[in-house]
């Protein structure tokens, strides 16, 4: 209950969002891409590709909708100790720079030969599919000099394990990437909300866990000196029915809400609503005021507005995957 009073001046809530679906996969896809069609990239992937093209560490994911549409690479950092071992591949133990498998001169020669081999492979590929695969390998190898920078910024696995909230644990890794400037977007997730039975008993602790995790994330953003540099978006695949089923649970419902905080977000604001039957009410697409002759807020409206907020609407990545919408809405202005 303390979360909303604490963040009321920073929090922006959009209610009455029509996802048009009650399917988990489709709902996750449409809320984070703006499109029902499979293969459309997530907002995080578009931002990563637009802000730092050809950067293999731009998009860090721990789940949720993480389709890239081929725009950018996807990085998973589930185990920090493994990242340390990869980043310092010549060290016998990652935390001991004095003990190495090869001398510095030998290690430099190995890297030079790998680079020359990759250059030769890239030049010789003529088929588009093989050329793309070789380019991806080249990009992965080119990250060798940036991985140590990321590894140095990451918390230890023990620190991550000590975090008491799953969202906080995931955010610790993502924010380390942001702080180095290597990562520009991240996807983190939590679950358990599909309560077809005992809805009230299950949802209260789940919501507390979610809000506690968000509080920890916002606190960590401040601690890392990233205030005013990070946007936090919270959404779900869909909502729950207004009534209960025979198991005192709630089933799938196409109407949902989203929360936003951070850089460029107009805090202390609420847009959209649902009626007593939890059906989305309509808004004027120009003013966002309630309007019986207006339009339901849909996922494509939100994703179009998010692209504009991030400054990527006119990027090559965004143009490759345009979001068709009947009208645009000034959701973040």
């Amino acid at each position: 209950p303390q979360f909303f009073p604490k963040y009321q001046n920073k929090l922006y809530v959009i209610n009455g969002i029509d996802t048009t679906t009650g399917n988990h996969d489709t709902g996750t896809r449409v809320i984070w891409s703006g499109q029902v069609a499979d293969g459309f990239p997530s907002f995080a992937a578009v931002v990563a590709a637009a802000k730092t093209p050809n950067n293999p560490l731009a998009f860090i994911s721990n789940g949720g909708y993480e389709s890239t549409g081929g725009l950018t690479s996807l990085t998973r950092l589930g185990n920090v100790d493994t990242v340390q071992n990869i980043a310092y591949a010549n060290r016998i133990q990652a935390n001991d720079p004095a003990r190495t498998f090869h001398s510095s001169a030998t290690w430099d020669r190995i890297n030079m030969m790998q680079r020359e081999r990759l250059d030769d492979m890239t030049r010789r590929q003529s088929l588009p599919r093989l050329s793309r695969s070789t380019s991806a390998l080249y990009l992965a190898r080119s990250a060798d000099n940036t991985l140590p920078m990321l590894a140095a910024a990451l918390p230890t696995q023990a620190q991550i394990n000590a975090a008491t909230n799953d969202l906080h644990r995931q955010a610790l890794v993502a924010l380390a990437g942001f702080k180095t400037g290597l990562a520009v977007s991240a996807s983190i997730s939590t679950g358990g909300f599909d309560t077809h039975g005992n809805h009230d008993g299950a949802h209260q602790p789940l919501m507390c866990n979610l809000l506690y995790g968000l509080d920890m994330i916002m606190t960590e953003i401040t601690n890392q000196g990233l205030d005013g540099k990070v946007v936090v978006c919270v959404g779900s695949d869909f909502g729950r029915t207004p009534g209960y089923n025979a198991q005192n649970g709630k089933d799938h419902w196409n109407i949902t809400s989203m929360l936003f905080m951070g850089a460029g977000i107009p805090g202390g604001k609420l847009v959209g609503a649902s009626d007593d039957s939890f059906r989305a009410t309509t808004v004027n697409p120009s003013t966002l005021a309630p309007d019986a002759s207006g339009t339901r807020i849909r996922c494509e409206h939100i994703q179009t507005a998010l692209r504009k907020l991030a400054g990527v609407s006119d990027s090559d990545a965004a143009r490759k995957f345009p979001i068709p919408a009947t009208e645009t809405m000034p959701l973040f202005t």
Side-chain angles (χ1 to χ4, degrees):
Q2 292 80 25
F3 176 85
F4 291 100
K6 181 176 180 178
Y7 292 104
Q8 61 181 337
N9 294 325
K10 297 181 178 180
L11 189 63
Y12 178 31
V13 179
I14 302 180
N15 285 329
I17 302 168
D18 188 356
T19 67
T20 71
T21 184
N23 176 274
H24 285 294
D25 291 340
T26 305
T28 303
R29 184 165 57 246
V30 72
I31 199 77
W32 292 118
S33 75
Q35 293 293 287
V36 170
D38 196 10
F40 212 81
S42 71
F43 171 65
V46 173
V47 170
K51 295 291 187 180
T52 56
N54 300 327
N55 174 8
L57 296 175
F59 177 23
I60 295 175
S61 179
N62 281 282
Y65 185 66
E66 51 188 26
S67 173
T68 67
L71 293 174
T72 188
S73 299
L74 174 68
T75 301
R76 290 190 178 89
L77 299 175
N79 187 292
V80 172
D81 290 341
T82 300
V83 176
Q84 301 282 350
N85 291 333
I86 296 172
Y88 304 110
N90 192 36
R91 297 181 185 180
I92 296 173
Q93 291 185 329
N95 60 355
D96 186 357
R99 300 177 63 221
T100 60
F101 293 104
H102 307 285
S103 68
S104 296
T106 299
W107 188 242
D108 288 342
R109 288 197 301 273
I110 291 171
N111 286 324
M112 182 182 68
M113 291 301 297
Q114 286 181 336
R115 177 65 59 214
E116 290 178 355
R117 180 173 177 270
L118 284 169
D119 287 340
D120 182 62
M121 288 173 61
T122 302
R123 282 193 300 267
R124 289 188 289 107
Q125 297 305 331
S126 57
L127 294 176
R129 183 169 177 270
L130 292 177
S131 179
R132 287 194 299 269
S133 298
T134 306
S135 296
L137 176 62
Y138 192 98
L139 285 173
R141 289 293 189 184
S142 70
D144 288 349
N145 61 337
T146 58
L147 272 175
M149 188 190 307
L150 177 60
L154 287 171
T156 65
Q157 192 65 47
Q159 289 173 320
I160 293 174
N161 293 341
T164 57
N165 180 274
D166 57 339
L167 291 174
H168 186 204
R169 281 192 292 271
Q170 296 171 57
L172 285 172
V173 175
L175 292 174
F178 293 166
K179 191 171 183 179
T180 63
L182 297 172
V184 297
S185 63
S187 174
I188 64 177
S189 65
T190 188
F193 292 90
D194 199 25
T195 48
H196 292 282
N198 187 29
H199 172 84
D200 292 351
H203 254 237
Q204 183 172 352
L206 287 168
M207 290 301 297
C208 287
N209 179 71
L210 172 65
L211 297 179
Y212 176 67
L214 287 175
D215 183 30
M216 292 296 98
I217 290 171
M218 298 305 294
T219 301
E220 197 65 40
I221 287 172
T222 300
N223 291 344
Q224 295 290 337
L226 295 171
D227 268 336
K229 299 178 180 179
V230 178
V231 176
V232 176
C233 311
V234 185
S236 64
D237 43 8
F238 41 69
R240 313 305 297 180
T241 51
Y244 294 86
N245 59 27
Q247 290 75 42
N248 289 319
K250 293 194 171 190
D251 300 317
H252 300 179
W253 191 251
N254 61 299
I255 307 302
T256 188
S257 300
M258 293 186 75
L259 312 179
F260 304 88
M261 286 189 286
I265 298 297
K269 187 175 180 179
L270 171 66
V271 168
S274 55
D275 60 21
D276 291 342
S277 298
F278 199 26
R279 299 183 186 279
T281 57
T282 54
V283 301
N284 183 296
S286 298
T287 66
L288 304 181
D291 185 345
S293 301
T295 303
R296 282 189 176 193
I297 300 172
R298 301 186 302 275
C299 298
E300 59 261 38
H301 295 127
I302 293 171
Q303 290 300 321
T304 298
L306 279 174
R307 288 184 176 191
K308 184 177 180 180
L309 174 69
V312 302
S313 297
D314 296 325
S315 66
D316 290 340
R319 284 196 294 267
K320 187 174 182 180
F321 291 95
I323 300 175
T326 305
E327 64 282 296
T328 58
M329 292 186 180
L331 291 169
F332 299 105
T333 56

